[in-house]
Amino acid sequence: MTIKSFKLRGTRITEAQLAARQRLWGRYGVELANTQMDFARLFPENFKIICEIGFGMGETTIEIAEKFPENGYLAIDVHQPGIGKLLALIEEKDLSNLKVMDADAHLVLMEMVPNGSLDAIHLFFPDPWPKTRHHKRRIVNSSFIDLAAKKLKSGGVFHIATDWSPYATWIEDHFVKSDAFVGGAIERPIWRPLTRFESQGLKKDHVITDFSYTNK
């Protein structure tokens, strides 16, 4: 049985977010299925394919997709208000290089993403599950690292950011054990926008750590 690395929080979806979900899902959403995606058809005008896991309310996702129109972005989350908000932002910005999935990222990668098809995976501020008894729920673990390696192209990049120092140590420890990746902690890249969640962490004196790991 797969252990979920996320917890469904209180939805509190607004009428506007719900309306956007109902109206725009058919245009920008991708349903979970047991067939592999054809990225050339899904993103016919984009050269690189990037998977973002966990996009919150979508502000960072939309900013990056707008800044890099040459890339195709597959954004995955289960947070209903965030999905509704992101769909509305895609319409507002009139973007064609961003698609949304409402699903468990593990299932999407295992069932729908072809091996060697991704240029990058973005994992920004995943739930650190700070209590020891919950560490098994952390998305970064040996099996997920192996899965990511299969889905990334050779030379593809797994970029992670966290504001929880013990989780940063956990990430380093797990990637050191992997033969598939090289890399480590880096300076915060200019292209990664400052998220609202990150700003809140900085106000609490949290240390932000960015990691960049390249698939061999």
Side-chain angles (χ1 to χ4, degrees):
M1 181 179 68
T2 300
I3 297 174
K4 288 186 177 180
S5 59
F6 60 87
K7 180 179 179 181
L8 290 174
R9 317 276 180 191
T11 54
R12 297 195 176 184
I13 189 168
T14 66
E15 290 186 8
Q17 292 163 354
L18 181 60
R21 169 66 190 252
Q22 294 172 340
R23 182 169 53 86
L24 300 172
W25 183 257
R27 184 176 176 186
Y28 302 117
V30 178
E31 293 287 350
L32 182 66
N34 59 2
T35 57
Q36 292 194 329
M37 282 181 276
D38 181 353
F39 285 125
R41 190 174 75 82
L42 195 61
F43 298 106
E45 299 179 359
N46 306 117
F47 298 106
K48 294 184 177 181
I49 305 300
I50 297 170
C51 178
E52 180 169 353
I53 299 172
F55 52 79
M57 294 305 291
E59 298 98 331
T60 297
T61 306
I62 205 78
E63 188 172 339
I64 293 176
E66 188 175 24
K67 187 175 182 180
F68 299 99
E70 68 275 17
N71 298 336
Y73 293 88
L74 180 68
I76 307 170
D77 209 321
V78 294
H79 184 55
Q80 298 306 306
I83 290 171
K85 178 66 174 179
L86 181 56
L87 290 169
L89 288 170
I90 296 173
E91 181 185 47
E92 177 186 328
K93 300 293 185 179
D94 192 26
L95 299 183
S96 62
N97 66 329
L98 178 54
K99 301 295 182 183
V100 182
M101 291 197 71
D102 174 6
D104 183 336
H106 292 85
L107 291 178
V108 174
L109 289 176
M110 287 189 293
E111 301 292 337
M112 297 187 67
V113 175
N115 289 347
S117 64
L118 298 176
D119 293 275
I121 295 174
H122 292 170
L123 181 63
F124 298 148
F125 304 99
D127 193 328
W129 294 102
K131 295 180 180 179
T132 301
R133 69 177 183 270
H134 291 156
H135 284 182
K136 62 185 178 181
R137 294 183 177 272
R138 289 176 170 176
I139 189 170
V140 177
N141 57 38
S142 297
S143 62
F144 190 75
I145 290 171
D146 290 343
L147 178 61
K150 291 177 183 177
K151 303 305 171 178
L152 285 164
K153 297 176 181 176
S154 177
V157 176
F158 194 162
H159 190 104
I160 309 172
T162 182
D163 72 325
W164 192 254
S165 294
Y167 199 10
T169 301
W170 170 283
I171 290 167
E172 285 186 304
D173 289 347
H174 279 75
F175 270 94
V176 163
K177 298 174 185 175
S178 172
D179 295 327
F181 288 94
V182 294
I186 61 169
E187 294 292 324
R188 177 179 171 272
I190 296 175
W191 58 263
R192 185 176 70 73
L194 185 69
T195 70
R196 180 169 51 183
F197 181 85
E198 183 177 2
S199 298
Q200 293 171 350
L202 289 170
K203 290 178 181 178
K204 298 175 183 177
D205 295 324
H206 290 188
V207 176
I208 310 299
T209 307
D210 280 78
F211 295 97
S212 181
Y213 291 100
T214 300
N215 198 29
K216 294 180 182 177

Short mmCIF file of all heavy atoms in Angstrom, two decimals, residues 15-38:
data_model
loop_
_atom_site.label_atom_id
_atom_site.label_comp_id
_atom_site.label_asym_id
_atom_site.label_seq_id
_atom_site.Cartn_x
_atom_site.Cartn_y
_atom_site.Cartn_z
N GLU A 15 -16.74 30.37 -3.94
CA GLU A 15 -17.64 30.20 -5.08
C GLU A 15 -16.90 30.46 -6.39
O GLU A 15 -17.12 29.77 -7.39
CB GLU A 15 -18.84 31.14 -4.95
CG GLU A 15 -19.80 30.76 -3.84
CD GLU A 15 -21.04 31.63 -3.83
OE1 GLU A 15 -21.23 32.42 -4.78
OE2 GLU A 15 -21.84 31.53 -2.87
N ALA A 16 -16.01 31.46 -6.39
CA ALA A 16 -15.25 31.78 -7.60
C ALA A 16 -14.31 30.64 -7.98
O ALA A 16 -14.18 30.30 -9.16
CB ALA A 16 -14.45 33.07 -7.39
N GLN A 17 -13.65 30.05 -6.98
CA GLN A 17 -12.74 28.94 -7.25
C GLN A 17 -13.50 27.72 -7.75
O GLN A 17 -13.06 27.03 -8.67
CB GLN A 17 -11.96 28.60 -5.99
CG GLN A 17 -10.97 29.68 -5.57
CD GLN A 17 -10.50 29.54 -4.14
OE1 GLN A 17 -11.00 28.69 -3.38
NE2 GLN A 17 -9.56 30.38 -3.73
N LEU A 18 -14.65 27.45 -7.15
CA LEU A 18 -15.46 26.32 -7.57
C LEU A 18 -15.98 26.53 -8.99
O LEU A 18 -15.96 25.60 -9.81
CB LEU A 18 -16.63 26.13 -6.61
CG LEU A 18 -17.57 24.95 -6.91
CD1 LEU A 18 -16.81 23.63 -6.89
CD2 LEU A 18 -18.72 24.92 -5.91
N ALA A 19 -16.40 27.75 -9.29
CA ALA A 19 -16.90 28.06 -10.63
C ALA A 19 -15.80 27.89 -11.66
O ALA A 19 -16.02 27.37 -12.76
CB ALA A 19 -17.46 29.48 -10.67
N ALA A 20 -14.58 28.31 -11.32
CA ALA A 20 -13.44 28.17 -12.23
C ALA A 20 -13.14 26.70 -12.46
O ALA A 20 -12.87 26.27 -13.59
CB ALA A 20 -12.21 28.87 -11.66
N ARG A 21 -13.21 25.90 -11.39
CA ARG A 21 -12.98 24.46 -11.51
C ARG A 21 -13.99 23.83 -12.47
O ARG A 21 -13.64 23.07 -13.36
CB ARG A 21 -13.06 23.81 -10.13
CG ARG A 21 -13.11 22.27 -10.13
CD ARG A 21 -11.80 21.68 -10.63
NE ARG A 21 -11.91 20.25 -10.84
CZ ARG A 21 -11.35 19.33 -10.07
NH1 ARG A 21 -10.65 19.67 -9.02
NH2 ARG A 21 -11.46 18.06 -10.35
N GLN A 22 -15.24 24.15 -12.30
CA GLN A 22 -16.30 23.56 -13.12
C GLN A 22 -16.23 24.03 -14.57
O GLN A 22 -16.48 23.27 -15.50
CB GLN A 22 -17.66 23.89 -12.51
CG GLN A 22 -17.88 23.24 -11.15
CD GLN A 22 -19.14 23.72 -10.46
OE1 GLN A 22 -19.67 24.79 -10.79
NE2 GLN A 22 -19.64 22.94 -9.51
N ARG A 23 -15.87 25.29 -14.76
CA ARG A 23 -15.89 25.87 -16.10
C ARG A 23 -14.63 25.59 -16.91
O ARG A 23 -14.69 25.44 -18.14
CB ARG A 23 -16.09 27.39 -15.97
CG ARG A 23 -16.20 28.15 -17.28
CD ARG A 23 -16.67 29.58 -17.04
NE ARG A 23 -15.85 30.26 -16.06
CZ ARG A 23 -14.72 30.90 -16.34
NH1 ARG A 23 -14.27 30.93 -17.60
NH2 ARG A 23 -14.03 31.51 -15.41
N LEU A 24 -13.48 25.50 -16.23
CA LEU A 24 -12.20 25.46 -16.95
C LEU A 24 -11.50 24.11 -16.93
O LEU A 24 -10.51 23.93 -17.64
CB LEU A 24 -11.26 26.52 -16.37
CG LEU A 24 -11.76 27.97 -16.46
CD1 LEU A 24 -10.83 28.90 -15.69
CD2 LEU A 24 -11.86 28.41 -17.92
N TRP A 25 -12.00 23.17 -16.12
CA TRP A 25 -11.31 21.89 -16.02
C TRP A 25 -11.20 21.18 -17.37
O TRP A 25 -10.17 20.62 -17.71
CB TRP A 25 -12.00 20.97 -15.01
CG TRP A 25 -11.27 19.67 -14.83
CD1 TRP A 25 -11.60 18.46 -15.35
CD2 TRP A 25 -10.04 19.48 -14.12
NE1 TRP A 25 -10.67 17.51 -14.99
CE2 TRP A 25 -9.70 18.11 -14.23
CE3 TRP A 25 -9.21 20.33 -13.38
CZ2 TRP A 25 -8.57 17.57 -13.65
CZ3 TRP A 25 -8.07 19.79 -12.80
CH2 TRP A 25 -7.75 18.44 -12.94
N GLY A 26 -12.24 21.21 -18.15
CA GLY A 26 -12.22 20.55 -19.44
C GLY A 26 -11.20 21.13 -20.39
O GLY A 26 -10.74 20.45 -21.32
N ARG A 27 -10.81 22.37 -20.15
CA ARG A 27 -9.84 23.04 -21.03
C ARG A 27 -8.40 22.88 -20.56
O ARG A 27 -7.49 22.68 -21.37
CB ARG A 27 -10.20 24.53 -21.11
CG ARG A 27 -9.34 25.35 -22.06
CD ARG A 27 -9.85 26.78 -22.13
NE ARG A 27 -9.01 27.63 -22.97
CZ ARG A 27 -9.17 28.95 -23.10
NH1 ARG A 27 -10.16 29.55 -22.46
NH2 ARG A 27 -8.36 29.64 -23.86
N TYR A 28 -8.20 22.96 -19.24
CA TYR A 28 -6.83 22.97 -18.72
C TYR A 28 -6.52 21.76 -17.83
O TYR A 28 -5.36 21.58 -17.44
CB TYR A 28 -6.58 24.24 -17.91
CG TYR A 28 -6.78 25.52 -18.69
CD1 TYR A 28 -7.79 26.43 -18.32
CD2 TYR A 28 -5.98 25.83 -19.78
CE1 TYR A 28 -7.98 27.61 -19.02
CE2 TYR A 28 -6.17 27.02 -20.48
CZ TYR A 28 -7.17 27.89 -20.10
OH TYR A 28 -7.36 29.06 -20.81
N GLY A 29 -7.52 20.97 -17.48
CA GLY A 29 -7.30 19.85 -16.58
C GLY A 29 -6.95 18.56 -17.32
O GLY A 29 -7.33 18.37 -18.47
N VAL A 30 -6.24 17.69 -16.63
CA VAL A 30 -5.90 16.37 -17.15
C VAL A 30 -6.37 15.33 -16.15
O VAL A 30 -6.00 15.38 -14.97
CB VAL A 30 -4.38 16.21 -17.37
CG1 VAL A 30 -4.05 14.80 -17.87
CG2 VAL A 30 -3.86 17.26 -18.36
N GLU A 31 -7.21 14.41 -16.58
CA GLU A 31 -7.75 13.40 -15.69
C GLU A 31 -6.74 12.28 -15.42
O GLU A 31 -5.95 11.92 -16.30
CB GLU A 31 -9.02 12.78 -16.29
CG GLU A 31 -10.20 13.75 -16.41
CD GLU A 31 -10.82 14.07 -15.06
OE1 GLU A 31 -10.47 13.41 -14.06
OE2 GLU A 31 -11.66 14.99 -15.01
N LEU A 32 -6.78 11.75 -14.20
CA LEU A 32 -5.95 10.60 -13.88
C LEU A 32 -6.46 9.39 -14.65
O LEU A 32 -7.66 9.12 -14.69
CB LEU A 32 -6.01 10.32 -12.38
CG LEU A 32 -5.16 9.17 -11.86
CD1 LEU A 32 -3.68 9.48 -12.02
CD2 LEU A 32 -5.47 8.89 -10.39
N ALA A 33 -5.55 8.67 -15.28
CA ALA A 33 -5.93 7.50 -16.08
C ALA A 33 -4.79 6.49 -16.01
O ALA A 33 -3.70 6.77 -15.51
CB ALA A 33 -6.20 7.90 -17.53
N ASN A 34 -5.05 5.30 -16.53
CA ASN A 34 -4.00 4.27 -16.53
C ASN A 34 -3.31 4.18 -17.88
O ASN A 34 -2.75 3.16 -18.24
CB ASN A 34 -4.58 2.92 -16.13
CG ASN A 34 -5.69 2.46 -17.06
OD1 ASN A 34 -6.01 3.15 -18.03
ND2 ASN A 34 -6.27 1.31 -16.76
N THR A 35 -3.37 5.27 -18.63
CA THR A 35 -2.67 5.36 -19.91
C THR A 35 -1.63 6.47 -19.84
O THR A 35 -1.83 7.48 -19.16
CB THR A 35 -3.65 5.66 -21.06
OG1 THR A 35 -4.37 6.88 -20.77
CG2 THR A 35 -4.63 4.52 -21.24
N GLN A 36 -0.53 6.28 -20.54
CA GLN A 36 0.54 7.27 -20.47
C GLN A 36 0.21 8.50 -21.31
O GLN A 36 -0.42 8.42 -22.35
CB GLN A 36 1.85 6.64 -20.96
CG GLN A 36 2.37 5.57 -20.01
CD GLN A 36 3.80 5.21 -20.30
OE1 GLN A 36 4.28 5.27 -21.43
NE2 GLN A 36 4.54 4.83 -19.26
N MET A 37 0.67 9.64 -20.81
CA MET A 37 0.44 10.90 -21.50
C MET A 37 1.34 11.04 -22.72
O MET A 37 2.48 10.58 -22.72
CB MET A 37 0.71 12.08 -20.54
CG MET A 37 -0.41 12.34 -19.56
SD MET A 37 -0.06 13.75 -18.48
CE MET A 37 0.93 12.95 -17.22
N ASP A 38 0.79 11.68 -23.72
CA ASP A 38 1.55 12.04 -24.92
C ASP A 38 1.90 13.52 -24.78
O ASP A 38 1.10 14.39 -25.11
CB ASP A 38 0.72 11.78 -26.17
CG ASP A 38 1.47 12.11 -27.45
OD1 ASP A 38 2.59 12.65 -27.37
OD2 ASP A 38 0.92 11.85 -28.54
#
